[in-house]
Amino acid sequence: PTEYSTPPVTGTAVGDGITVLEEHLDNNFEPTEDDIDEYAEWLGLDPDADGDLLWIAREGLLAPLQDPWRACETPDHELFYFNF
């Protein structure tokens, strides 16, 4: 595996056609209830049984990525996150 002393520049192809994406923060973004429920399930929560914990999923959707994490995209347009 390639080791990076600093994260690659946005838009850089880092191998196998994977591209590091630029993060665009939209201060007006508000996740829908479906977004929150889907992310809550991904986190292992049950949206019906764990309604008091859905704030965690909402905050997770609104939080910016922290260094050194970057969003990346595969040639098939699948998104994933990687810490460089």
Side-chain angles (χ1 to χ4, degrees), residues 13 15 18 21 40 49 64 69-71 73-74 80:
I18 295 170
L21 302 177
W69 289 93
R70 297 288 187 269
E73 183 177 24
T74 69
F80 68 94

Side-chain angles (χ1 to χ4, degrees), residues 21-32:
L21 302 177
E22 181 176 350
E23 183 174 18
H24 296 280
L25 296 178
D26 179 356
N27 292 330
N28 297 317
F29 172 70
E30 187 61 41
T32 66

Side-chain angles (χ1 to χ4, degrees), residues 5-8 10 20 23 64-71 82-84:
S5 58
T6 60
T10 299
V20 179
E23 183 174 18
L65 291 176
Q66 300 295 307
D67 281 337
W69 289 93
R70 297 288 187 269
F82 188 82
N83 65 352
F84 288 94

Side-chain angles (χ1 to χ4, degrees), residues 4-77:
Y4 300 92
S5 58
T6 60
V9 176
T10 299
T12 301
V14 293
D16 296 327
I18 295 170
T19 303
V20 179
L21 302 177
E22 181 176 350
E23 183 174 18
H24 296 280
L25 296 178
D26 179 356
N27 292 330
N28 297 317
F29 172 70
E30 187 61 41
T32 66
E33 187 174 327
D34 287 341
D35 292 336
I36 294 169
D37 288 350
E38 182 178 336
Y39 189 52
E41 289 175 0
W42 186 86
L43 292 171
L45 300 172
D46 177 335
D48 295 323
D50 298 319
D52 60 323
L53 300 175
L54 292 180
W55 67 270
I56 297 169
R58 182 181 180 283
E59 291 298 315
L61 290 169
L62 293 172
L65 291 176
Q66 300 295 307
D67 281 337
W69 289 93
R70 297 288 187 269
C72 299
E73 183 177 24
T74 69
D76 297 330
H77 306 290

